[in-house]
Amino acid sequence: NCDYGCTGACSVVMSSWHQGQSKYIHRTISSCSTPLASAHRTNITTVEGIGTASSPHPLQTRLAECHAVQCGYDSPGVIVSAYGLLLNTSQPTVDQFEKSQVGNISRCSGYRAVLEAFKVFTETKMMTK
């Protein structure tokens, strides 16, 4: 439990329909520091909604393949933040991936392996579910 949104472990994607733009707007937020009323008429995606053990999302697969998971403490926030970025930008830059990870505190893995794992998504367009 991150208590006040200070670790990134409570990150979720909040999606809402924007009538003027005729599209969904996706924001990565800290669930534990977001008032419940602000989630009215939105869709919330947690790390459990991104992939499963039997059918992992490509982000989760890359994180494992690149040995970017150590203790697993930061993995949910890392995945959710990257997923939120991919929902808004099908081919983000390395800089955008780096900025999407602000607020995710790593206890043991550091960030180099995480950024290396996600680098592949800067080279090809990603279709999200």
Side-chain angles (χ1 to χ4, degrees):
N1 182 353
C2 68
D3 198 23
Y4 297 106
C6 58
T7 67
C10 64
S11 296
V12 298
V13 174
M14 178 186 280
S15 304
S16 58
W17 181 253
H18 190 280
Q19 189 70 28
Q21 296 180 15
S22 296
K23 68 176 189 175
Y24 280 96
I25 303 297
H26 309 282
R27 296 182 308 146
T28 302
I29 62 164
S30 296
S31 63
C32 64
S33 60
T34 301
L36 181 61
S38 68
H40 183 65
R41 300 183 77 128
T42 67
N43 183 51
I44 303 295
T45 304
T46 65
V47 70
E48 290 85 359
I50 296 173
T52 64
S54 61
S55 180
H57 188 276
L59 287 166
Q60 295 165 317
T61 302
R62 286 293 300 163
L63 211 61
E65 288 173 350
C66 292
H67 308 287
V69 178
Q70 299 294 315
C71 69
Y73 179 80
D74 60 336
S75 300
V78 166
I79 292 293
V80 169
S81 296
Y83 181 73
L85 175 63
L86 287 176
L87 285 174
N88 290 313
T89 310
S90 62
Q91 190 173 359
T93 64
V94 173
D95 186 56
Q96 287 173 308
F97 263 114
E98 188 173 332
K99 288 178 180 171
S100 79
Q101 296 304 310
V102 169
N104 288 308
I105 306 299
S106 177
R107 287 184 163 178
C108 58
S109 67
Y111 304 97
R112 183 173 296 156
V114 169
L115 294 176
E116 189 62 35
F118 294 157
K119 189 175 181 182
V120 70
F121 298 104
T122 67
E123 300 162 356
T124 57
K125 287 194 175 197
M126 177 67 186
M127 299 300 293
T128 55
K129 63 176 179 175

mmCIF file of all heavy atoms in Angstrom, residues 34-56:
data_model
loop_
_atom_site.group_PDB
_atom_site.id
_atom_site.type_symbol
_atom_site.label_atom_id
_atom_site.label_comp_id
_atom_site.label_asym_id
_atom_site.label_seq_id
_atom_site.Cartn_x
_atom_site.Cartn_y
_atom_site.Cartn_z
ATOM 1 N N THR A 34 -7.163 9.945 -5.135
ATOM 2 C CA THR A 34 -8.179 10.505 -6.025
ATOM 3 C C THR A 34 -9.547 10.371 -5.365
ATOM 4 O O THR A 34 -9.941 9.262 -4.989
ATOM 5 C CB THR A 34 -8.177 9.762 -7.384
ATOM 6 O OG1 THR A 34 -6.882 9.887 -7.959
ATOM 7 C CG2 THR A 34 -9.214 10.332 -8.320
ATOM 8 N N PRO A 35 -10.260 11.463 -5.212
ATOM 9 C CA PRO A 35 -11.592 11.374 -4.599
ATOM 10 C C PRO A 35 -12.515 10.475 -5.431
ATOM 11 O O PRO A 35 -12.506 10.537 -6.665
ATOM 12 C CB PRO A 35 -12.089 12.825 -4.620
ATOM 13 C CG PRO A 35 -10.865 13.661 -4.753
ATOM 14 C CD PRO A 35 -9.887 12.840 -5.537
ATOM 15 N N LEU A 36 -13.281 9.662 -4.758
ATOM 16 C CA LEU A 36 -14.181 8.722 -5.420
ATOM 17 C C LEU A 36 -15.137 9.425 -6.379
ATOM 18 O O LEU A 36 -15.383 8.943 -7.486
ATOM 19 C CB LEU A 36 -14.972 7.923 -4.378
ATOM 20 C CG LEU A 36 -15.940 6.886 -4.928
ATOM 21 C CD1 LEU A 36 -15.198 5.842 -5.745
ATOM 22 C CD2 LEU A 36 -16.705 6.236 -3.791
ATOM 23 N N ALA A 37 -15.649 10.582 -6.004
ATOM 24 C CA ALA A 37 -16.610 11.296 -6.850
ATOM 25 C C ALA A 37 -16.014 11.673 -8.207
ATOM 26 O O ALA A 37 -16.744 11.775 -9.195
ATOM 27 C CB ALA A 37 -17.114 12.542 -6.133
ATOM 28 N N SER A 38 -14.710 11.848 -8.281
ATOM 29 C CA SER A 38 -14.095 12.222 -9.562
ATOM 30 C C SER A 38 -14.064 11.047 -10.544
ATOM 31 O O SER A 38 -13.786 11.233 -11.724
ATOM 32 C CB SER A 38 -12.679 12.769 -9.347
ATOM 33 O OG SER A 38 -11.819 11.748 -8.906
ATOM 34 N N ALA A 39 -14.381 9.852 -10.067
ATOM 35 C CA ALA A 39 -14.419 8.676 -10.931
ATOM 36 C C ALA A 39 -15.809 8.435 -11.516
ATOM 37 O O ALA A 39 -16.002 7.492 -12.283
ATOM 38 C CB ALA A 39 -13.966 7.443 -10.163
ATOM 39 N N HIS A 40 -16.760 9.304 -11.195
ATOM 40 C CA HIS A 40 -18.122 9.170 -11.714
ATOM 41 C C HIS A 40 -18.105 9.247 -13.238
ATOM 42 O O HIS A 40 -17.463 10.105 -13.822
ATOM 43 C CB HIS A 40 -19.012 10.268 -11.131
ATOM 44 C CG HIS A 40 -20.440 10.171 -11.552
ATOM 45 N ND1 HIS A 40 -21.248 9.113 -11.192
ATOM 46 C CD2 HIS A 40 -21.204 10.993 -12.305
ATOM 47 C CE1 HIS A 40 -22.442 9.293 -11.703
ATOM 48 N NE2 HIS A 40 -22.447 10.422 -12.384
ATOM 49 N N ARG A 41 -18.780 8.303 -13.877
ATOM 50 C CA ARG A 41 -18.887 8.223 -15.341
ATOM 51 C C ARG A 41 -17.537 8.004 -16.021
ATOM 52 O O ARG A 41 -17.288 8.500 -17.104
ATOM 53 C CB ARG A 41 -19.590 9.447 -15.891
ATOM 54 C CG ARG A 41 -21.000 9.606 -15.341
ATOM 55 C CD ARG A 41 -21.674 10.762 -15.965
ATOM 56 N NE ARG A 41 -22.096 10.348 -17.306
ATOM 57 C CZ ARG A 41 -23.317 10.475 -17.766
ATOM 58 N NH1 ARG A 41 -24.238 11.025 -17.041
ATOM 59 N NH2 ARG A 41 -23.624 10.069 -18.980
ATOM 60 N N THR A 42 -16.660 7.265 -15.351
ATOM 61 C CA THR A 42 -15.371 6.919 -15.945
ATOM 62 C C THR A 42 -15.193 5.406 -15.905
ATOM 63 O O THR A 42 -15.930 4.696 -15.216
ATOM 64 C CB THR A 42 -14.180 7.564 -15.202
ATOM 65 O OG1 THR A 42 -14.068 7.000 -13.899
ATOM 66 C CG2 THR A 42 -14.329 9.068 -15.109
ATOM 67 N N ASN A 43 -14.222 4.940 -16.631
ATOM 68 C CA ASN A 43 -13.841 3.538 -16.580
ATOM 69 C C ASN A 43 -12.466 3.480 -15.925
ATOM 70 O O ASN A 43 -11.559 4.220 -16.302
ATOM 71 C CB ASN A 43 -13.777 2.957 -17.996
ATOM 72 C CG ASN A 43 -13.446 1.491 -17.987
ATOM 73 O OD1 ASN A 43 -14.067 0.704 -17.296
ATOM 74 N ND2 ASN A 43 -12.438 1.119 -18.754
ATOM 75 N N ILE A 44 -12.300 2.613 -14.955
ATOM 76 C CA ILE A 44 -11.031 2.471 -14.247
ATOM 77 C C ILE A 44 -10.398 1.141 -14.651
ATOM 78 O O ILE A 44 -11.039 0.093 -14.566
ATOM 79 C CB ILE A 44 -11.224 2.493 -12.709
ATOM 80 C CG1 ILE A 44 -11.919 3.784 -12.267
ATOM 81 C CG2 ILE A 44 -9.901 2.288 -12.004
ATOM 82 C CD1 ILE A 44 -11.119 5.047 -12.501
ATOM 83 N N THR A 45 -9.145 1.193 -15.094
ATOM 84 C CA THR A 45 -8.405 -0.015 -15.440
ATOM 85 C C THR A 45 -7.249 -0.170 -14.468
ATOM 86 O O THR A 45 -6.404 0.714 -14.352
ATOM 87 C CB THR A 45 -7.845 0.056 -16.884
ATOM 88 O OG1 THR A 45 -8.930 0.296 -17.786
ATOM 89 C CG2 THR A 45 -7.147 -1.230 -17.265
ATOM 90 N N THR A 46 -7.249 -1.288 -13.757
ATOM 91 C CA THR A 46 -6.156 -1.600 -12.834
ATOM 92 C C THR A 46 -5.161 -2.506 -13.559
ATOM 93 O O THR A 46 -5.404 -2.948 -14.676
ATOM 94 C CB THR A 46 -6.685 -2.337 -11.588
ATOM 95 O OG1 THR A 46 -7.196 -3.605 -12.002
ATOM 96 C CG2 THR A 46 -7.763 -1.527 -10.877
ATOM 97 N N VAL A 47 -4.076 -2.813 -12.910
ATOM 98 C CA VAL A 47 -3.079 -3.693 -13.531
ATOM 99 C C VAL A 47 -3.690 -5.061 -13.843
ATOM 100 O O VAL A 47 -3.329 -5.691 -14.834
ATOM 101 C CB VAL A 47 -1.806 -3.810 -12.658
ATOM 102 C CG1 VAL A 47 -2.074 -4.609 -11.388
ATOM 103 C CG2 VAL A 47 -0.646 -4.378 -13.460
ATOM 104 N N GLU A 48 -4.660 -5.493 -13.058
ATOM 105 C CA GLU A 48 -5.312 -6.772 -13.306
ATOM 106 C C GLU A 48 -6.124 -6.759 -14.591
ATOM 107 O O GLU A 48 -6.366 -7.797 -15.195
ATOM 108 C CB GLU A 48 -6.224 -7.157 -12.132
ATOM 109 C CG GLU A 48 -5.480 -7.535 -10.873
ATOM 110 C CD GLU A 48 -5.101 -6.353 -9.998
ATOM 111 O OE1 GLU A 48 -5.399 -5.192 -10.368
ATOM 112 O OE2 GLU A 48 -4.501 -6.571 -8.950
ATOM 113 N N GLY A 49 -6.548 -5.587 -15.047
ATOM 114 C CA GLY A 49 -7.321 -5.474 -16.272
ATOM 115 C C GLY A 49 -6.468 -5.329 -17.523
ATOM 116 O O GLY A 49 -6.988 -5.272 -18.626
ATOM 117 N N ILE A 50 -5.161 -5.265 -17.347
ATOM 118 C CA ILE A 50 -4.264 -5.078 -18.494
ATOM 119 C C ILE A 50 -3.827 -6.411 -19.087
ATOM 120 O O ILE A 50 -3.730 -6.560 -20.296
ATOM 121 C CB ILE A 50 -3.055 -4.207 -18.093
ATOM 122 C CG1 ILE A 50 -3.556 -2.800 -17.725
ATOM 123 C CG2 ILE A 50 -2.015 -4.148 -19.198
ATOM 124 C CD1 ILE A 50 -2.504 -1.889 -17.145
ATOM 125 N N GLY A 51 -3.557 -7.371 -18.266
ATOM 126 C CA GLY A 51 -3.153 -8.689 -18.731
ATOM 127 C C GLY A 51 -3.306 -9.712 -17.629
ATOM 128 O O GLY A 51 -3.506 -9.365 -16.475
ATOM 129 N N THR A 52 -3.237 -10.973 -18.003
ATOM 130 C CA THR A 52 -3.363 -12.058 -17.027
ATOM 131 C C THR A 52 -2.122 -12.949 -17.107
ATOM 132 O O THR A 52 -1.316 -12.827 -18.025
ATOM 133 C CB THR A 52 -4.608 -12.912 -17.318
ATOM 134 O OG1 THR A 52 -4.439 -13.540 -18.599
ATOM 135 C CG2 THR A 52 -5.867 -12.072 -17.318
ATOM 136 N N ALA A 53 -2.016 -13.862 -16.191
ATOM 137 C CA ALA A 53 -0.889 -14.798 -16.206
ATOM 138 C C ALA A 53 -0.912 -15.661 -17.475
ATOM 139 O O ALA A 53 0.127 -15.953 -18.055
ATOM 140 C CB ALA A 53 -0.920 -15.688 -14.962
ATOM 141 N N SER A 54 -2.109 -16.032 -17.920
ATOM 142 C CA SER A 54 -2.208 -16.866 -19.122
ATOM 143 C C SER A 54 -2.160 -16.053 -20.419
ATOM 144 O O SER A 54 -1.833 -16.592 -21.466
ATOM 145 C CB SER A 54 -3.487 -17.697 -19.081
ATOM 146 O OG SER A 54 -4.615 -16.844 -19.048
ATOM 147 N N SER A 55 -2.469 -14.782 -20.332
ATOM 148 C CA SER A 55 -2.458 -13.920 -21.513
ATOM 149 C C SER A 55 -1.915 -12.537 -21.142
ATOM 150 O O SER A 55 -2.664 -11.567 -21.062
ATOM 151 C CB SER A 55 -3.874 -13.803 -22.081
ATOM 152 O OG SER A 55 -3.871 -12.977 -23.218
ATOM 153 N N PRO A 56 -0.601 -12.457 -20.916
ATOM 154 C CA PRO A 56 -0.027 -11.172 -20.488
ATOM 155 C C PRO A 56 -0.017 -10.145 -21.623
ATOM 156 O O PRO A 56 0.051 -10.501 -22.798
ATOM 157 C CB PRO A 56 1.400 -11.536 -20.076
ATOM 158 C CG PRO A 56 1.710 -12.786 -20.832
ATOM 159 C CD PRO A 56 0.403 -13.504 -21.000
#
